[in-house]
Amino acid sequence: MRENLDKQLSFTSLKWFNFFVYGTVVLFTSFFPLYLQEMGMNKLEIGSLMSVGALVSIIANPFWGIWSDRYQNIRRIVLVMLTGTLVLSQLVFQANTYEMIYISILFFYFFQGPLFAQSNTMILSYIDGTSQRFSSYRLWGSLGWALTAILAGPVIEWAGVSVLSYLFAALLCAAMIALIAMPKLDHSIGIAPLPFRGLRQIFYNPFFLCFILFGILVSIPNTMNNTFVSLYITELGGSKTMIGLAVFLSSILEMGVLLLCNYILKRKISVLLASLTFVSALFFLRWWMMADATTPLQVAFIQVLHCITFGGFFYVGTQLTMLLVPRAYRSSGQALYTLTWSGISGILGGVLGGWMYQNLGVQTMYQSGALLALFGTIGFGLMWLFFIRGGYRPPADPEDGAAEE
């Protein structure tokens, strides 16, 4: 009886932990650019600063993965990461020179960047061998992301953007309390976030490399939008409340889209490539509409497409990676896919988007993003045609149903 009660408490604490962690991240990604702008930074400086996280993650992810595997106490590792994120975030907000902000943000991203990967590993370790499903914990993360955004907007509007540091600290402390409330974990599933063991074999697969290349083209404008959409809304006359509404609308239906994709899409390369082409075309439409937007409310409603475009692209891309890469090298394939989506595209999107926003204007930035998405759409369409005409056959794997047509 006591053991069942402890398990139930740990599952509840896990859900609240995910809620607060996602809440802290949305505060940073959605409202921190406004803080930097108030500090006097221009668009290029803001984009460059925000892209630093993608660069640091290339080092930070394997570092924390190695320590998690070696120390075999991922709960304590995550607590160290949260503590470091809390301390460094306050240094970032207290910094009064550009140099101090850049130095503080480098160390901040070292702790914060891999937090999602390590948190997911911890959750999977806690629910391993139980009837619990990871999707339910991901749902609590989506709720934390959406609700924090829409509630924080009016608070920041009323108290000023400087209150962001207190909101960030409060949510981080809440996540740490939820983590401390969990019972000690007696085992770990040991998922390393960036196991690049099979990269050499993957680079001999030109079809998969084309998939990665076209994915970068589609994801660069997504990074541009994530970095600058809050600044775009304020330039159109929107309030902090409107920013929160835009983020809320973009994320509240994302989990439903993921569940729907899981239910209706067959795990066949031809079906997934066709779906990826369709989602990339929606990305093109989304950026073209953003370039033509004239009111903040229009931007907020266009952001609803995020749940379909990002949710669909991430799901389909993950499934395609499973089918295009041999079973023995799938962890490396997934690591490369994640790195290109959040790493390479994050760096290019932040710097390139900031330069275009600063020198050419926001409409040009979104039009360029639409053009990149169009090239990606055409590329995925050609891959689909090439595949259905028998130009490519992956290694047969009966469990995946990869050998088709």
Side-chain angles (χ1 to χ4, degrees), residues 10-11 59 80-81 110 120 123 125 162 165 183 198 241 248 304 316 338 367 394 396 401:
S10 68
F11 294 146
I59 302 171
V80 170
M81 294 173 72
F110 186 80
N120 289 342
I123 292 170
S125 298
S162 59
S165 64
T241 302
F248 176 82
V304 175
V316 174
T338 303
Q367 287 169 355

Side-chain angles (χ1 to χ4, degrees), residues 55-81:
L55 184 63
V56 173
S57 68
I58 298 174
I59 302 171
N61 270 293
F63 173 86
W64 290 109
I66 290 170
W67 274 103
S68 296
D69 290 342
R70 181 175 297 178
Y71 197 50
Q72 285 299 305
N73 191 334
I74 193 168
R75 175 171 166 266
R76 186 167 294 178
I77 292 292
V78 172
L79 184 59
V80 170
M81 294 173 72

Side-chain angles (χ1 to χ4, degrees), residues 112-126:
Q112 187 271 333
L115 194 56
F116 276 160
Q118 293 299 315
S119 297
N120 289 342
T121 302
M122 183 184 70
I123 292 170
L124 289 168
S125 298
Y126 268 102

Side-chain angles (χ1 to χ4, degrees), residues 11-303:
F11 294 146
T12 302
S13 297
L14 269 176
K15 291 174 180 177
W16 281 111
F17 167 80
N18 230 27
F19 181 95
F20 292 125
V21 165
Y22 274 75
T24 60
V25 175
V26 75
L27 280 179
F28 198 80
T29 57
S30 300
F31 296 101
F32 189 59
L34 298 176
Y35 175 83
L36 296 177
Q37 188 177 54
E38 192 171 280
M39 286 283 294
M41 286 190 172
N42 61 37
K43 307 301 189 303
L44 178 57
E45 290 170 334
I46 293 172
S48 301
L49 188 69
M50 298 297 285
S51 68
V52 166
L55 184 63
V56 173
S57 68
I58 298 174
I59 302 171
N61 270 293
F63 173 86
W64 290 109
I66 290 170
W67 274 103
S68 296
D69 290 342
R70 181 175 297 178
Y71 197 50
Q72 285 299 305
N73 191 334
I74 193 168
R75 175 171 166 266
R76 186 167 294 178
I77 292 292
V78 172
L79 184 59
V80 170
M81 294 173 72
L82 286 173
T83 304
T85 301
L86 175 61
V87 173
L88 270 301
S89 67
Q90 298 310 301
L91 289 179
V92 171
F93 285 115
Q94 296 301 318
N96 51 18
T97 64
Y98 288 172
E99 291 78 9
M100 283 303 301
I101 291 178
Y102 273 99
I103 293 172
S104 301
I105 207 76
L106 274 172
F107 288 101
F108 167 82
Y109 277 127
F110 186 80
F111 286 91
Q112 187 271 333
L115 194 56
F116 276 160
Q118 293 299 315
S119 297
N120 289 342
T121 302
M122 183 184 70
I123 292 170
L124 289 168
S125 298
Y126 268 102
I127 66 177
D128 185 39
T130 72
S131 60
Q132 297 287 313
R133 297 175 65 88
F134 180 77
S135 58
S136 64
Y137 297 92
R138 179 65 176 81
L139 176 60
W140 274 75
S142 296
L143 287 174
W145 184 282
L147 293 178
T148 300
I150 200 168
L151 293 175
V155 175
I156 296 173
E157 185 75 37
W158 169 73
V161 75
S162 59
V163 78
L164 192 60
S165 64
Y166 300 104
L167 296 177
F168 197 78
L171 287 178
L172 274 175
C173 289
M176 293 169 70
I177 292 171
L179 183 64
I180 293 170
M182 299 177 201
K184 184 179 180 181
L185 189 63
D186 57 1
H187 73 287
S188 173
I189 58 174
I191 299 177
L194 289 177
F196 289 118
R197 180 173 55 91
L199 280 186
R200 179 179 297 179
Q201 287 76 10
I202 290 173
F203 279 114
Y204 290 144
N205 185 342
F207 196 79
F208 180 71
L209 292 181
C210 286
F211 159 71
I212 291 293
L213 174 62
F214 297 135
I216 291 174
L217 294 180
V218 174
S219 57
I220 286 174
N222 187 67
T223 302
M224 293 179 182
N225 179 72
N226 289 343
T227 304
F228 298 108
V229 67
S230 59
L231 302 181
Y232 187 28
I233 289 174
T234 56
E235 285 190 3
L236 290 174
S239 62
K240 311 298 188 299
T241 302
M242 185 63 69
I243 294 171
L245 175 64
V247 177
F248 176 82
L249 292 175
S250 71
S251 57
I252 192 63
L253 299 177
E254 183 182 316
M255 196 63 198
V257 170
L258 292 174
L259 294 174
L260 187 63
C261 288
N262 189 53
Y263 181 73
I264 66 175
L265 292 183
K266 295 180 180 179
R267 295 183 72 243
K268 291 186 175 182
I269 293 176
S270 60
V271 173
L272 294 174
L273 277 175
S275 301
L276 203 59
T277 304
F278 173 73
V279 170
S280 300
L282 286 180
F283 264 123
F284 163 75
L285 176 64
R286 180 183 171 191
W287 307 138
W288 197 261
M289 292 170 62
M290 287 288 277
D292 287 340
T294 56
T295 68
L297 191 59
Q298 285 178 334
V299 174
F301 281 114
I302 294 170
Q303 282 289 96

